[in-house]
PDB file of all heavy atoms in Angstrom:
ATOM      1  N   PRO A  12       0.803  -1.220   0.000  1.00 93.00           N
ATOM      2  CA  PRO A  12       0.000   0.000   0.000  1.00 93.00           C
ATOM      3  C   PRO A  12       0.841   1.278   0.000  1.00 93.00           C
ATOM      4  O   PRO A  12       0.418   2.294  -0.539  1.00 93.00           O
ATOM      5  CB  PRO A  12      -0.851  -0.107   1.258  1.00 93.00           C
ATOM      6  CG  PRO A  12      -0.344  -1.244   2.028  1.00 93.00           C
ATOM      7  CD  PRO A  12       0.517  -2.065   1.146  1.00 93.00           C
ATOM      8  N   GLN A  13       2.043   1.231   0.573  1.00 92.00           N
ATOM      9  CA  GLN A  13       2.888   2.426   0.613  1.00 92.00           C
ATOM     10  C   GLN A  13       3.215   2.928  -0.788  1.00 92.00           C
ATOM     11  O   GLN A  13       3.309   4.132  -1.010  1.00 92.00           O
ATOM     12  CB  GLN A  13       4.194   2.162   1.374  1.00 92.00           C
ATOM     13  CG  GLN A  13       4.009   1.920   2.850  1.00 92.00           C
ATOM     14  CD  GLN A  13       3.771   0.455   3.180  1.00 92.00           C
ATOM     15  OE1 GLN A  13       3.528  -0.378   2.303  1.00 92.00           O
ATOM     16  NE2 GLN A  13       3.806   0.134   4.462  1.00 92.00           N
ATOM     17  N   GLU A  14       3.371   2.010  -1.736  1.00 92.00           N
ATOM     18  CA  GLU A  14       3.640   2.383  -3.135  1.00 92.00           C
ATOM     19  C   GLU A  14       2.533   3.294  -3.665  1.00 92.00           C
ATOM     20  O   GLU A  14       2.790   4.339  -4.250  1.00 92.00           O
ATOM     21  CB  GLU A  14       3.642   1.125  -4.019  1.00 92.00           C
ATOM     22  CG  GLU A  14       4.962   0.519  -4.294  1.00 92.00           C
ATOM     23  CD  GLU A  14       4.785  -0.652  -5.261  1.00 92.00           C
ATOM     24  OE1 GLU A  14       4.148  -1.661  -4.894  1.00 92.00           O
ATOM     25  OE2 GLU A  14       5.286  -0.521  -6.386  1.00 92.00           O
ATOM     26  N   LEU A  15       1.297   2.868  -3.458  1.00 94.00           N
ATOM     27  CA  LEU A  15       0.144   3.619  -3.950  1.00 94.00           C
ATOM     28  C   LEU A  15      -0.049   4.909  -3.164  1.00 94.00           C
ATOM     29  O   LEU A  15      -0.406   5.937  -3.727  1.00 94.00           O
ATOM     30  CB  LEU A  15      -1.113   2.756  -3.879  1.00 94.00           C
ATOM     31  CG  LEU A  15      -1.041   1.425  -4.635  1.00 94.00           C
ATOM     32  CD1 LEU A  15      -2.279   0.599  -4.385  1.00 94.00           C
ATOM     33  CD2 LEU A  15      -0.836   1.657  -6.101  1.00 94.00           C
ATOM     34  N   GLU A  16       0.208   4.850  -1.861  1.00 94.00           N
ATOM     35  CA  GLU A  16       0.056   6.042  -1.031  1.00 94.00           C
ATOM     36  C   GLU A  16       1.038   7.131  -1.440  1.00 94.00           C
ATOM     37  O   GLU A  16       0.685   8.308  -1.452  1.00 94.00           O
ATOM     38  CB  GLU A  16       0.229   5.679   0.448  1.00 94.00           C
ATOM     39  CG  GLU A  16      -0.924   4.864   0.981  1.00 94.00           C
ATOM     40  CD  GLU A  16      -0.654   4.181   2.300  1.00 94.00           C
ATOM     41  OE1 GLU A  16       0.472   4.337   2.850  1.00 94.00           O
ATOM     42  OE2 GLU A  16      -1.550   3.480   2.791  1.00 94.00           O
ATOM     43  N   ILE A  17       2.242   6.761  -1.810  1.00 94.00           N
ATOM     44  CA  ILE A  17       3.228   7.744  -2.273  1.00 94.00           C
ATOM     45  C   ILE A  17       2.731   8.421  -3.540  1.00 94.00           C
ATOM     46  O   ILE A  17       2.814   9.640  -3.675  1.00 94.00           O
ATOM     47  CB  ILE A  17       4.602   7.071  -2.492  1.00 94.00           C
ATOM     48  CG1 ILE A  17       5.223   6.711  -1.148  1.00 94.00           C
ATOM     49  CG2 ILE A  17       5.544   7.971  -3.288  1.00 94.00           C
ATOM     50  CD1 ILE A  17       6.439   5.800  -1.234  1.00 94.00           C
ATOM     51  N   LEU A  18       2.205   7.637  -4.474  1.00 95.00           N
ATOM     52  CA  LEU A  18       1.672   8.218  -5.711  1.00 95.00           C
ATOM     53  C   LEU A  18       0.494   9.151  -5.429  1.00 95.00           C
ATOM     54  O   LEU A  18       0.393  10.231  -6.018  1.00 95.00           O
ATOM     55  CB  LEU A  18       1.237   7.105  -6.675  1.00 95.00           C
ATOM     56  CG  LEU A  18       2.352   6.253  -7.269  1.00 95.00           C
ATOM     57  CD1 LEU A  18       1.767   5.079  -8.048  1.00 95.00           C
ATOM     58  CD2 LEU A  18       3.245   7.083  -8.155  1.00 95.00           C
ATOM     59  N   LEU A  19      -0.390   8.752  -4.530  1.00 95.00           N
ATOM     60  CA  LEU A  19      -1.542   9.586  -4.192  1.00 95.00           C
ATOM     61  C   LEU A  19      -1.112  10.865  -3.486  1.00 95.00           C
ATOM     62  O   LEU A  19      -1.637  11.949  -3.761  1.00 95.00           O
ATOM     63  CB  LEU A  19      -2.522   8.806  -3.309  1.00 95.00           C
ATOM     64  CG  LEU A  19      -3.310   7.699  -3.986  1.00 95.00           C
ATOM     65  CD1 LEU A  19      -3.983   6.814  -2.951  1.00 95.00           C
ATOM     66  CD2 LEU A  19      -4.337   8.278  -4.936  1.00 95.00           C
ATOM     67  N   ASN A  20      -0.145  10.757  -2.591  1.00 94.00           N
ATOM     68  CA  ASN A  20       0.295  11.917  -1.814  1.00 94.00           C
ATOM     69  C   ASN A  20       1.052  12.936  -2.661  1.00 94.00           C
ATOM     70  O   ASN A  20       1.272  14.058  -2.216  1.00 94.00           O
ATOM     71  CB  ASN A  20       1.145  11.477  -0.623  1.00 94.00           C
ATOM     72  CG  ASN A  20       0.332  10.728   0.412  1.00 94.00           C
ATOM     73  OD1 ASN A  20      -0.881  10.795   0.435  1.00 94.00           O
ATOM     74  ND2 ASN A  20       1.016   9.992   1.265  1.00 94.00           N
ATOM     75  N   ASN A  21       1.452  12.571  -3.868  1.00 94.00           N
ATOM     76  CA  ASN A  21       2.111  13.522  -4.766  1.00 94.00           C
ATOM     77  C   ASN A  21       1.146  14.591  -5.260  1.00 94.00           C
ATOM     78  O   ASN A  21       1.577  15.629  -5.757  1.00 94.00           O
ATOM     79  CB  ASN A  21       2.741  12.804  -5.966  1.00 94.00           C
ATOM     80  CG  ASN A  21       4.001  12.070  -5.579  1.00 94.00           C
ATOM     81  OD1 ASN A  21       4.655  12.400  -4.598  1.00 94.00           O
ATOM     82  ND2 ASN A  21       4.353  11.059  -6.346  1.00 94.00           N
ATOM     83  N   SER A  22      -0.139  14.350  -5.146  1.00 93.00           N
ATOM     84  CA  SER A  22      -1.151  15.310  -5.584  1.00 93.00           C
ATOM     85  C   SER A  22      -1.199  16.494  -4.621  1.00 93.00           C
ATOM     86  O   SER A  22      -1.110  16.319  -3.399  1.00 93.00           O
ATOM     87  CB  SER A  22      -2.526  14.640  -5.632  1.00 93.00           C
ATOM     88  OG  SER A  22      -3.531  15.610  -5.797  1.00 93.00           O
ATOM     89  N   SER A  23      -1.358  17.675  -5.160  1.00 91.00           N
ATOM     90  CA  SER A  23      -1.443  18.879  -4.320  1.00 91.00           C
ATOM     91  C   SER A  23      -2.770  18.939  -3.560  1.00 91.00           C
ATOM     92  O   SER A  23      -2.899  19.687  -2.597  1.00 91.00           O
ATOM     93  CB  SER A  23      -1.276  20.128  -5.179  1.00 91.00           C
ATOM     94  OG  SER A  23      -2.297  20.191  -6.147  1.00 91.00           O
ATOM     95  N   TYR A  24      -3.758  18.159  -3.966  1.00 93.00           N
ATOM     96  CA  TYR A  24      -5.063  18.155  -3.315  1.00 93.00           C
ATOM     97  C   TYR A  24      -5.105  17.240  -2.087  1.00 93.00           C
ATOM     98  O   TYR A  24      -5.945  17.403  -1.229  1.00 93.00           O
ATOM     99  CB  TYR A  24      -6.154  17.681  -4.286  1.00 93.00           C
ATOM    100  CG  TYR A  24      -6.306  18.544  -5.498  1.00 93.00           C
ATOM    101  CD1 TYR A  24      -6.009  18.055  -6.763  1.00 93.00           C
ATOM    102  CD2 TYR A  24      -6.752  19.853  -5.401  1.00 93.00           C
ATOM    103  CE1 TYR A  24      -6.163  18.842  -7.885  1.00 93.00           C
ATOM    104  CE2 TYR A  24      -6.906  20.653  -6.511  1.00 93.00           C
ATOM    105  CZ  TYR A  24      -6.608  20.148  -7.755  1.00 93.00           C
ATOM    106  OH  TYR A  24      -6.752  20.925  -8.858  1.00 93.00           O
ATOM    107  N   ILE A  25      -4.214  16.265  -2.035  1.00 94.00           N
ATOM    108  CA  ILE A  25      -4.266  15.225  -1.011  1.00 94.00           C
ATOM    109  C   ILE A  25      -3.157  15.445   0.018  1.00 94.00           C
ATOM    110  O   ILE A  25      -1.991  15.531  -0.334  1.00 94.00           O
ATOM    111  CB  ILE A  25      -4.131  13.831  -1.644  1.00 94.00           C
ATOM    112  CG1 ILE A  25      -5.266  13.603  -2.637  1.00 94.00           C
ATOM    113  CG2 ILE A  25      -4.107  12.744  -0.581  1.00 94.00           C
ATOM    114  CD1 ILE A  25      -5.094  12.381  -3.511  1.00 94.00           C
ATOM    115  N   GLU A  26      -3.540  15.527   1.302  1.00 94.00           N
ATOM    116  CA  GLU A  26      -2.556  15.678   2.365  1.00 94.00           C
ATOM    117  C   GLU A  26      -1.958  14.325   2.745  1.00 94.00           C
ATOM    118  O   GLU A  26      -0.757  14.199   2.879  1.00 94.00           O
ATOM    119  CB  GLU A  26      -3.188  16.325   3.592  1.00 94.00           C
ATOM    120  CG  GLU A  26      -3.357  17.807   3.436  1.00 94.00           C
ATOM    121  CD  GLU A  26      -3.646  18.487   4.754  1.00 94.00           C
ATOM    122  OE1 GLU A  26      -3.673  17.834   5.818  1.00 94.00           O
ATOM    123  OE2 GLU A  26      -3.850  19.702   4.704  1.00 94.00           O
ATOM    124  N   GLU A  27      -2.822  13.341   2.957  1.00 95.00           N
ATOM    125  CA  GLU A  27      -2.360  11.984   3.254  1.00 95.00           C
ATOM    126  C   GLU A  27      -3.390  10.986   2.764  1.00 95.00           C
ATOM    127  O   GLU A  27      -4.546  11.320   2.547  1.00 95.00           O
ATOM    128  CB  GLU A  27      -2.041  11.784   4.742  1.00 95.00           C
ATOM    129  CG  GLU A  27      -2.979  12.394   5.701  1.00 95.00           C
ATOM    130  CD  GLU A  27      -2.541  12.246   7.156  1.00 95.00           C
ATOM    131  OE1 GLU A  27      -1.473  11.700   7.457  1.00 95.00           O
ATOM    132  OE2 GLU A  27      -3.322  12.680   8.004  1.00 95.00           O
ATOM    133  N   SER A  28      -2.922   9.759   2.587  1.00 95.00           N
ATOM    134  CA  SER A  28      -3.811   8.718   2.073  1.00 95.00           C
ATOM    135  C   SER A  28      -3.541   7.411   2.794  1.00 95.00           C
ATOM    136  O   SER A  28      -2.462   7.202   3.356  1.00 95.00           O
ATOM    137  CB  SER A  28      -3.598   8.542   0.574  1.00 95.00           C
ATOM    138  OG  SER A  28      -2.268   8.181   0.313  1.00 95.00           O
ATOM    139  N   PHE A  29      -4.545   6.548   2.746  1.00 94.00           N
ATOM    140  CA  PHE A  29      -4.470   5.240   3.383  1.00 94.00           C
ATOM    141  C   PHE A  29      -5.119   4.234   2.433  1.00 94.00           C
ATOM    142  O   PHE A  29      -6.301   4.348   2.115  1.00 94.00           O
ATOM    143  CB  PHE A  29      -5.198   5.283   4.728  1.00 94.00           C
ATOM    144  CG  PHE A  29      -5.362   3.947   5.386  1.00 94.00           C
ATOM    145  CD1 PHE A  29      -4.266   3.230   5.813  1.00 94.00           C
ATOM    146  CD2 PHE A  29      -6.614   3.403   5.584  1.00 94.00           C
ATOM    147  CE1 PHE A  29      -4.414   1.999   6.420  1.00 94.00           C
ATOM    148  CE2 PHE A  29      -6.781   2.182   6.190  1.00 94.00           C
ATOM    149  CZ  PHE A  29      -5.669   1.483   6.615  1.00 94.00           C
ATOM    150  N   VAL A  30      -4.349   3.274   1.942  1.00 94.00           N
ATOM    151  CA  VAL A  30      -4.852   2.259   1.007  1.00 94.00           C
ATOM    152  C   VAL A  30      -5.050   0.962   1.784  1.00 94.00           C
ATOM    153  O   VAL A  30      -4.174   0.542   2.542  1.00 94.00           O
ATOM    154  CB  VAL A  30      -3.869   2.057  -0.167  1.00 94.00           C
ATOM    155  CG1 VAL A  30      -4.326   0.936  -1.070  1.00 94.00           C
ATOM    156  CG2 VAL A  30      -3.714   3.354  -0.955  1.00 94.00           C
ATOM    157  N   TYR A  31      -6.198   0.333   1.569  1.00 92.00           N
ATOM    158  CA  TYR A  31      -6.524  -0.897   2.289  1.00 92.00           C
ATOM    159  C   TYR A  31      -7.410  -1.785   1.429  1.00 92.00           C
ATOM    160  O   TYR A  31      -7.971  -1.349   0.422  1.00 92.00           O
ATOM    161  CB  TYR A  31      -7.229  -0.573   3.613  1.00 92.00           C
ATOM    162  CG  TYR A  31      -8.533   0.159   3.453  1.00 92.00           C
ATOM    163  CD1 TYR A  31      -9.742  -0.517   3.498  1.00 92.00           C
ATOM    164  CD2 TYR A  31      -8.570   1.534   3.246  1.00 92.00           C
ATOM    165  CE1 TYR A  31     -10.946   0.141   3.332  1.00 92.00           C
ATOM    166  CE2 TYR A  31      -9.768   2.211   3.090  1.00 92.00           C
ATOM    167  CZ  TYR A  31     -10.944   1.512   3.137  1.00 92.00           C
ATOM    168  OH  TYR A  31     -12.136   2.168   2.977  1.00 92.00           O
ATOM    169  N   LEU A  32      -7.515  -3.037   1.829  1.00 90.00           N
ATOM    170  CA  LEU A  32      -8.385  -3.999   1.156  1.00 90.00           C
ATOM    171  C   LEU A  32      -9.666  -4.109   1.977  1.00 90.00           C
ATOM    172  O   LEU A  32      -9.629  -4.491   3.133  1.00 90.00           O
ATOM    173  CB  LEU A  32      -7.685  -5.357   1.064  1.00 90.00           C
ATOM    174  CG  LEU A  32      -8.340  -6.419   0.207  1.00 90.00           C
ATOM    175  CD1 LEU A  32      -8.303  -5.997  -1.257  1.00 90.00           C
ATOM    176  CD2 LEU A  32      -7.616  -7.737   0.361  1.00 90.00           C
ATOM    177  N   SER A  33     -10.778  -3.741   1.365  1.00 81.00           N
ATOM    178  CA  SER A  33     -12.048  -3.746   2.083  1.00 81.00           C
ATOM    179  C   SER A  33     -12.637  -5.146   2.121  1.00 81.00           C
ATOM    180  O   SER A  33     -12.786  -5.774   1.084  1.00 81.00           O
ATOM    181  CB  SER A  33     -13.018  -2.794   1.399  1.00 81.00           C
ATOM    182  OG  SER A  33     -14.293  -2.910   1.968  1.00 81.00           O
ATOM    183  N   PRO A  34     -12.983  -5.634   3.304  1.00 72.00           N
ATOM    184  CA  PRO A  34     -13.613  -6.952   3.384  1.00 72.00           C
ATOM    185  C   PRO A  34     -14.956  -6.983   2.650  1.00 72.00           C
ATOM    186  O   PRO A  34     -15.337  -7.995   2.092  1.00 72.00           O
ATOM    187  CB  PRO A  34     -13.819  -7.180   4.876  1.00 72.00           C
ATOM    188  CG  PRO A  34     -13.178  -6.065   5.587  1.00 72.00           C
ATOM    189  CD  PRO A  34     -12.802  -5.018   4.605  1.00 72.00           C
ATOM    190  N   ALA A  35     -15.650  -5.867   2.623  1.00 72.00           N
ATOM    191  CA  ALA A  35     -16.955  -5.801   1.960  1.00 72.00           C
ATOM    192  C   ALA A  35     -16.817  -5.791   0.438  1.00 72.00           C
ATOM    193  O   ALA A  35     -17.706  -6.232  -0.272  1.00 72.00           O
ATOM    194  CB  ALA A  35     -17.702  -4.553   2.410  1.00 72.00           C
ATOM    195  N   GLN A  36     -15.684  -5.305  -0.066  1.00 66.00           N
ATOM    196  CA  GLN A  36     -15.475  -5.184  -1.513  1.00 66.00           C
ATOM    197  C   GLN A  36     -14.784  -6.401  -2.125  1.00 66.00           C
ATOM    198  O   GLN A  36     -14.524  -6.425  -3.314  1.00 66.00           O
ATOM    199  CB  GLN A  36     -14.643  -3.928  -1.817  1.00 66.00           C
ATOM    200  CG  GLN A  36     -15.318  -2.625  -1.462  1.00 66.00           C
ATOM    201  CD  GLN A  36     -16.495  -2.345  -2.348  1.00 66.00           C
ATOM    202  OE1 GLN A  36     -16.505  -2.668  -3.522  1.00 66.00           O
ATOM    203  NE2 GLN A  36     -17.528  -1.752  -1.767  1.00 66.00           N
ATOM    204  N   GLY A  37     -14.426  -7.382  -1.318  1.00 71.00           N
ATOM    205  CA  GLY A  37     -13.741  -8.563  -1.860  1.00 71.00           C
ATOM    206  C   GLY A  37     -12.287  -8.252  -2.159  1.00 71.00           C
ATOM    207  O   GLY A  37     -11.560  -7.833  -1.283  1.00 71.00           O
ATOM    208  N   ASP A  38     -11.883  -8.441  -3.387  1.00 76.00           N
ATOM    209  CA  ASP A  38     -10.487  -8.223  -3.781  1.00 76.00           C
ATOM    210  C   ASP A  38     -10.257  -6.832  -4.360  1.00 76.00           C
ATOM    211  O   ASP A  38      -9.418  -6.663  -5.223  1.00 76.00           O
ATOM    212  CB  ASP A  38     -10.079  -9.277  -4.821  1.00 76.00           C
ATOM    213  CG  ASP A  38      -9.129 -10.302  -4.226  1.00 76.00           C
ATOM    214  OD1 ASP A  38      -8.835 -10.214  -3.020  1.00 76.00           O
ATOM    215  OD2 ASP A  38      -8.672 -11.175  -4.976  1.00 76.00           O
TER     216      ASP A  38
END
C-alpha cells in the first residue's frame, strides 16, 4: 500500500492517504 500512497500523496489536493483492502469489496 505504501507504493500507492506515495503516488496519491504527490497530488497537491491530497494531504495523506491510506490504502486498504475492504472486506466488503472482496479483492
Side-chain angles (χ1 to χ4, degrees):
Q13 292 89 348
E14 264 184 294
L15 303 174
E16 290 165 0
I17 289 168
L18 292 172
L19 288 167
N20 292 342
N21 285 336
S22 169
S23 61
Y24 299 114
I25 300 169
E26 282 195 3
E27 41 184 2
S28 60
F29 172 65
V30 175
Y31 61 98
L32 189 67
S33 173
Q36 295 292 325
D38 252 2

